[in-house]
Amino acid sequence: MRLKSLLLATTIVTVLHPAHQASAAVHKTTKATAPAKVTAKTTGKKTVVRQAAATPRRPHAVDSNSNEQMIVTGTHAFNRRARDSTSPISVLTAATLRRSGQMNLADAIVRTDPSITVNAMGSDAGALTSSIRMRGLNPNEVLVLVDGKRRHTTANIYADAGPQQGSTPVDLNMIPASAIDHIEILRDGAAAMYGSDAIAGVVNIILKKTPHGLNMTAQTGANAYNGDGWQYQLGADGGFGFLGDGYVHISGQMYHTDHMVPNTTDVRTVPGNSEYKGYNVPHDSNKILSTPEETRENLSIEFGKTLTEGVNGYGLITYAHRHSEAYENYRMPSVAPTLYPYGFSPLETIEENDYAATLGLKGDNFFGFSWDLSSTYGADEDDVGNKNTANPNLIAATGTSPTTVRAETYRLSQWTNNLDFRRQLKIADLVPVTVAFGGEHRLETYQIWPGEVGSYADGGTQGYAGLMPENAGKWSRDVWAAYLDGDFHPLKHWDLDFAGRFEHYTDVGNTENGKVSTRYDITKRIAVRATISNGFRAPTLPEENFSSLNVSPTGASGLLSTSGAAGKSLGAQHLKPERSTSAEGGIILEPVDGWHLSADVYQINIRDRISGAGSVYGPSAISAIGMTGATLPVGIDTSDVSANYFANVGSTRTQGLDIQSDYLLHMHQYGNLDLTMALNLNRTRVSHINTNSQGNPYLNEQSIAYLTSTSPRSKIILNAYWTIGKWDVNLRQTRYGETTSMLTYQDQTPASLSCKGQSLQYSNVCWGQFKNTPVWLTDLEVGYRLNHMWHFAVGANNIFNQRPRRLTKYLNYLGANAYDTDSSGIGIAGGYYYGRINATF
């Protein structure tokens, strides 16, 4: 018995630096598996330790104790449970994500965590890449890790004005869902631990590492009310061992979705309407609000082995390919009559390759320290194009135009190298402390290639004008970092954690960040915790250097580089890092055995926040766009031409409350009922507005709303998961709170109306306030386990087909843009019904 205890302790201590190597020990499985079994065999004087493969957890098992899982995010301490953390952390198991009914990882997280939202729909190329927002902040302010390693971001920048403008987030959907063991979500500023981006919080995706088994899944579904938007997904993962304790776990996934097209009417096609253009074409020709069509293939290979006594090697390879197409506004037959006598709808396309590789060594005794040395290289490459398009000015000049073009190519890469150390000590043989320190180097590169000539010449192609040679370039920077962390236990029930980090960016200079966290367990049922920290977010290379021109049926919008003459003509200045100060405090309760409750209040102050400056319209915008060398299409409304750029627009204050509760009710012959509740209340206010080089404020009412009120004021998720015999039922109620946008008055606004001395139509001083009122969504899934291998489920998300409020006439561009796509409340797709089969061997 004594030997067994010693071996178990040895196994635990060898887990290395969880904050930077979440994969932990080579054989150790994570959340979705049962604890591994340790055996010992004595041969002569040598004791051989073997860790048996863990038994896979049944897919429909109750996981109310997910917060009892040992976590590796937000702490350097050994063997800390999510429920014992000094900061609020949620653990989402693979089973929880699967029961969301969503095929995409980003959508599954939104369905299961109230602090995370997504926009109702992306615009232009932004619709082709997934992104998440945490606590209402920009996707750039959320750090994503995979097995504790910083994940590279997408190269596809969200260029259109709105709350997500400038974001190049980690595209979660490029990671195979079948590879995921569990996800740890840290809702706290963590720049002192992880560096830039960790202002809103951290999402750490832990992948499977089991050396055995085979799991397969297939799901298909569609929008039950429209009868379109068909989706299917096939996934598989399995592992095998080699050379004793070596393991390989391979996961793959294939996904496809068709367009889901809401019912709308383009006012230009309706006789008798003032916007009617005189053409007899179908009223539903404009499919701008349809969800993109997408085909995606994902692959991951995780591996590891003991190389010599006390030294393990590990690695991870991921690859994903995506082809996606999104509709742009319908063009009337007059735009390119020789090519499209019945009009046309341009399709913006992306051909994307995303790949990453990690190799590392870790050991458990370097002068008493556990250590982890790793190198991770990741890159995202995008060919963005136009399909079913035309260049009207080129037709006028030459009589012809390409109909399919490559509009631009981006590539963004990150090469990150880490060396981390960690050790448990005792001060004066009385105070236990965990000391961690390490360093990091990261090389970031960003490159833009121009589009084909036909995509940008003479005003460019419809839907999206390609990037010109003037927009192209290659940029890079080095980031050097060092950190030190001490986790102290001055008293048995008191935990005190200090962290500090220094970083040097070759383009924006130095930053120093610190964090102090504490927790005190008053009794076994009551604990309190608090954190105060400061952080930063360096401007991304795309934010500093990207510029483009987007063309609509009636106008155009230009995004100007902050470093170019065009941007400077409108007041652009060199970008500085964002600086943040965060404070959080909470209480953790267990009123009765098995009922867990936590409540945390938080405040996040961000100074010099990076966002799109308020758009400039009319002659000033036309002049600035002309300075880039671009030519505007003929026949557009000059008042519908806008230009903006990225800037440190001002300071914001985000305040909120997180409440989480879970209780597992054992009903004996009636099964088990797992009840959970999660709530996020969130409010952002602008506390200061910066001015540009010309003395004008960067923000107006519209851009203030982008930052403050397009995210729901509240989000509540109520979930009941009932298992009885071979059956399981999951019922989820989600309430999205109110969002408010300040929208531009569009083409249907009468030209006779004015505001503050200018026309109300396309006004840049007066906007229409639009509110999406609170909405409840109902999701239901019913599953049946045929035997230990086969599980079947049918379900419906948003059973009652709830959709956002429709925009009023004056705010609805062309009549076909019926929803506020800038809000991050409920999506526009409506009800979705599906069936799924899971097999485990």
Side-chain angles (χ1 to χ4, degrees):
M1 187 67 184
R2 185 177 179 183
L3 174 62
K4 184 176 180 181
S5 300
L6 176 61
L7 293 174
L8 284 170
T10 303
T11 302
I12 291 172
V13 170
T14 56
V15 179
L16 299 178
H17 199 340
H20 293 271
Q21 177 47 42
S23 55
V26 170
H27 296 295
K28 186 172 181 180
T29 56
T30 42
K31 176 69 197 82
T33 58
K37 180 180 178 182
V38 179
T39 62
K41 179 180 179 182
T42 303
T43 58
K45 295 183 179 180
K46 185 177 181 181
T47 300
V48 180
V49 180
R50 291 191 178 93
Q51 193 166 1
T55 303
R57 195 173 179 183
R58 292 178 63 180
H60 70 297
V62 173
D63 51 13
S64 63
N65 292 323
S66 61
N67 284 328
E68 304 296 342
Q69 170 67 26
M70 297 301 177
I71 57 169
V72 293
T73 309
T75 179
H76 293 102
F78 293 84
N79 312 316
R80 178 157 296 170
R81 301 179 305 168
R83 208 179 300 285
D84 297 332
S85 172
T86 56
S87 301
I89 294 180
S90 298
V91 178
L92 304 179
T93 67
T96 299
L97 296 169
R98 183 167 52 247
R99 289 196 299 270
S100 72
Q102 297 294 327
M103 295 189 192
N104 289 319
L105 178 58
D107 295 331
I109 295 176
V110 169
R111 236 19 179 228
T112 50
D113 190 288
S115 67
I116 295 179
T117 59
V118 295
N119 265 25
M121 182 180 172
S123 298
D124 297 309
L128 307 176
T129 298
S130 76
S131 62
I132 60 172
R133 300 171 64 187
M134 181 181 288
R135 291 178 163 176
L137 299 179
N138 188 283
N140 280 347
E141 289 152 342
V142 181
L143 177 64
V144 176
L145 309 174
V146 174
D147 280 343
K149 309 295 184 184
R150 175 182 287 266
R151 178 75 174 181
H152 67 278
T153 63
T154 182
N156 184 24
I157 186 171
Y158 198 101
D160 288 21
Q164 295 195 148
Q165 189 176 21
S167 63
T168 48
V170 172
D171 190 334
L172 297 178
N173 295 342
M174 303 304 268
I175 300 170
S178 57
I180 296 172
D181 186 276
H182 68 281
I183 297 176
E184 298 175 2
I185 299 177
L186 170 65
R187 296 183 303 277
D188 197 4
M193 300 184 70
Y194 301 108
S196 182
D197 307 343
I199 289 180
V202 179
V203 176
N204 191 4
I205 301 171
I206 312 299
L207 303 184
K208 297 176 182 176
K209 301 166 185 68
T210 50
H212 59 82
L214 175 63
N215 308 293
M216 296 185 293
T217 183
Q219 180 171 326
T220 186
N223 182 285
Y225 296 85
N226 284 36
D228 58 6
W230 276 100
Q231 301 178 339
Y232 69 84
Q233 178 175 278
L234 303 173
D237 74 273
F240 62 88
F242 67 94
L243 298 178
D245 63 356
Y247 77 93
V248 175
H249 199 98
I250 302 174
S251 307
Q253 182 183 62
M254 180 178 180
Y255 167 82
H256 175 80
T257 181
D258 294 335
H259 297 287
M260 194 292 296
V261 186
N263 296 319
T264 61
T265 298
D266 192 317
V267 294
R268 298 171 299 169
T269 69
V270 181
N273 191 293
S274 59
E275 299 282 305
Y276 180 56
K277 300 300 180 183
Y279 296 100
N280 184 22
V281 295
H283 299 334
D284 60 354
S285 294
N286 199 334
K287 298 177 174 60
I288 181 65
L289 278 184
S290 68
T291 58
E293 179 182 338
E294 180 181 355
T295 301
R296 186 175 68 244
E297 303 88 21
N298 299 8
L299 173 70
S300 75
I301 304 172
E302 182 120 12
F303 53 91
K305 189 185 185 311
T306 300
L307 301 180
T308 186
E309 185 175 356
V311 178
N312 295 327
Y314 62 90
L316 170 66
I317 298 171
T318 63
Y319 172 75
H321 172 263
R322 167 192 281 136
H323 174 82
S324 187
E325 303 180 353
Y327 277 108
E328 299 298 310
N329 281 295
Y330 172 73
R331 266 56 176 182
M332 302 302 292
S334 58
V335 174
T338 58
L339 293 177
Y340 302 104
Y342 302 102
F344 62 103
S345 292
L347 285 162
E348 194 161 343
T349 67
I350 191 170
E351 204 73 40
E352 183 173 8
N353 289 289
D354 184 285
Y355 49 90
T358 296
L359 288 175
L361 296 172
K362 56 186 177 181
D364 56 7
N365 191 10
F366 181 77
F367 297 103
F369 287 87
S370 60
W371 57 274
D372 186 354
L373 174 65
S374 66
S375 182
T376 299
Y377 183 83
D380 184 69
E381 300 174 351
D382 305 319
D383 286 333
V384 177
N386 273 346
K387 180 180 176 182
N388 195 40
T389 187
N391 185 328
N393 289 2
L394 200 60
I395 293 176
T398 66
T400 186
S401 166
T403 58
T404 300
V405 294
R406 182 184 59 81
E408 67 238 8
T409 298
Y410 320 125
R411 185 179 189 275
L412 191 151
S413 66
Q414 294 178 356
W415 181 23
T416 306
N417 300 282
N418 293 94
L419 177 58
D420 306 298
F421 296 91
R422 187 176 63 152
R423 183 177 180 179
Q424 290 181 313
L425 304 169
K426 276 195 174 182
I427 299 176
D429 205 30
L430 292 174
V431 179
V433 59
T434 300
V435 176
F437 62 92
E440 177 180 288
H441 170 257
R442 186 167 72 253
L443 172 64
E444 299 179 351
T445 61
Y446 178 57
Q447 188 165 1
I448 300 174
W449 289 266
E452 297 169 356
V453 174
S455 70
Y456 62 79
D458 298 320
T461 46
Q462 291 288 297
Y464 190 80
L467 296 187
M468 305 174 297
E470 292 87 344
N471 302 118
K474 184 176 182 179
W475 305 269
S476 66
R477 68 184 176 194
D478 289 282
V479 185
W480 301 88
Y483 73 92
L484 175 64
D485 186 8
D487 188 285
F488 300 83
H489 274 274
L491 301 174
K492 183 179 179 181
H493 301 294
W494 182 21
D495 182 35
L496 186 60
D497 192 348
F498 298 92
R501 188 181 185 95
F502 170 82
E503 295 208 7
H504 171 72
Y505 280 72
T506 54
D507 59 343
V508 294
N510 300 333
T511 181
E512 302 83 24
N513 303 285
K515 181 176 182 178
V516 181
S517 301
T518 188
R519 172 181 170 128
Y520 188 79
D521 289 74
I522 301 171
T523 71
K524 71 173 186 177
R525 296 191 184 277
I526 304 174
V528 291
R529 62 189 175 194
T531 300
I532 186 167
S533 65
N534 69 319
F536 80 108
R537 183 181 77 81
T540 65
L541 292 176
E543 283 175 325
E544 290 180 314
N545 300 289
F546 181 81
S547 58
S548 67
L549 177 66
N550 194 15
V551 181
S552 72
T554 60
S557 59
L559 176 60
L560 310 177
S561 169
T562 58
S563 58
K568 290 180 179 179
S569 73
L570 297 181
Q573 302 177 85
H574 182 68
L575 290 178
K576 300 180 293 185
E578 297 178 346
R579 307 281 177 167
S580 67
T581 303
S582 301
E584 187 140 12
I587 185 169
I588 305 96
L589 304 173
E590 189 176 0
V592 298
D593 289 345
W595 179 21
H596 302 100
L597 178 66
S598 66
D600 295 271
V601 295
Y602 60 88
Q603 178 170 292
I604 307 170
N605 294 333
I606 305 178
R607 186 173 76 251
D608 292 327
R609 188 162 173 181
I610 300 172
S611 184
S615 296
V616 176
Y617 284 77
S620 297
I622 294 171
S623 174
I625 292 172
M627 293 176 66
T628 68
T631 303
L632 293 173
V634 296
I636 62 174
D637 186 339
T638 56
S639 63
D640 192 19
V641 177
S642 64
N644 76 341
Y645 50 86
F646 297 117
N648 296 103
V649 296
S651 303
T652 62
R653 173 171 293 173
T654 299
Q655 298 172 313
L657 168 68
D658 287 319
I659 298 178
Q660 298 214 349
S661 177
D662 64 77
Y663 183 68
L664 177 60
L665 181 61
H666 297 282
M667 300 186 295
H668 306 293
Q669 70 267 33
Y670 300 108
N672 294 321
L673 182 62
D674 185 8
L675 301 172
T676 61
M677 186 277 287
L679 162 70
N680 174 253
L681 299 178
N682 190 74
R683 182 183 70 179
T684 297
R685 292 288 183 266
V686 172
S687 56
H688 178 74
I689 299 176
N690 294 341
T691 56
N692 63 20
S693 62
Q694 300 169 351
N696 299 317
Y698 277 127
L699 295 175
N700 54 37
E701 284 186 88
Q702 185 177 64
S703 49
I704 288 173
Y706 290 154
L707 296 175
T708 62
S709 58
T710 57
S711 183
R713 288 290 304 274
S714 63
K715 183 181 174 186
I716 305 171
I717 300 177
L718 306 175
N719 199 92
Y721 179 53
W722 179 40
T723 57
I724 180 169
K726 295 185 176 182
W727 292 91
D728 55 274
V729 179
N730 196 79
L731 176 64
R732 181 171 51 251
Q733 288 285 128
T734 305
R735 182 188 185 273
Y736 287 88
E738 181 180 87
T739 65
T740 303
S741 296
M742 303 298 288
L743 302 178
T744 301
Y745 284 97
Q746 298 293 342
D747 56 294
Q748 296 183 77
T749 305
S752 59
L753 296 181
S754 62
C755 177
K756 296 182 180 180
Q758 63 174 241
S759 174
L760 188 59
Q761 188 183 78
Y762 304 123
S763 171
N764 66 339
V765 294
C766 295
W767 292 270
Q769 185 184 79
F770 181 81
K771 292 187 177 184
N772 272 309
T773 52
V775 177
W776 283 95
L777 300 186
T778 304
D779 305 334
L780 177 66
E781 179 179 293
V782 179
Y784 179 77
R785 176 159 292 282
L786 183 63
N787 53 41
H788 70 282
M789 292 186 297
W790 295 94
H791 182 264
F792 302 87
V794 294
N797 284 346
N798 192 2
I799 293 177
F800 304 111
N801 198 37
Q802 294 282 5
R803 306 206 189 207
R805 286 183 59 214
R806 286 185 168 251
L807 296 176
T808 58
K809 178 180 178 180
Y810 293 171
L811 304 177
N812 183 345
Y813 181 57
L814 303 178
N817 294 261
Y819 301 115
D820 174 17
T821 57
D822 285 332
S823 70
S824 60
I826 65 173
I828 67 170
Y832 167 71
Y833 287 43
Y834 62 91
R836 186 179 66 248
I837 301 174
N838 289 95
T840 302
F841 302 96

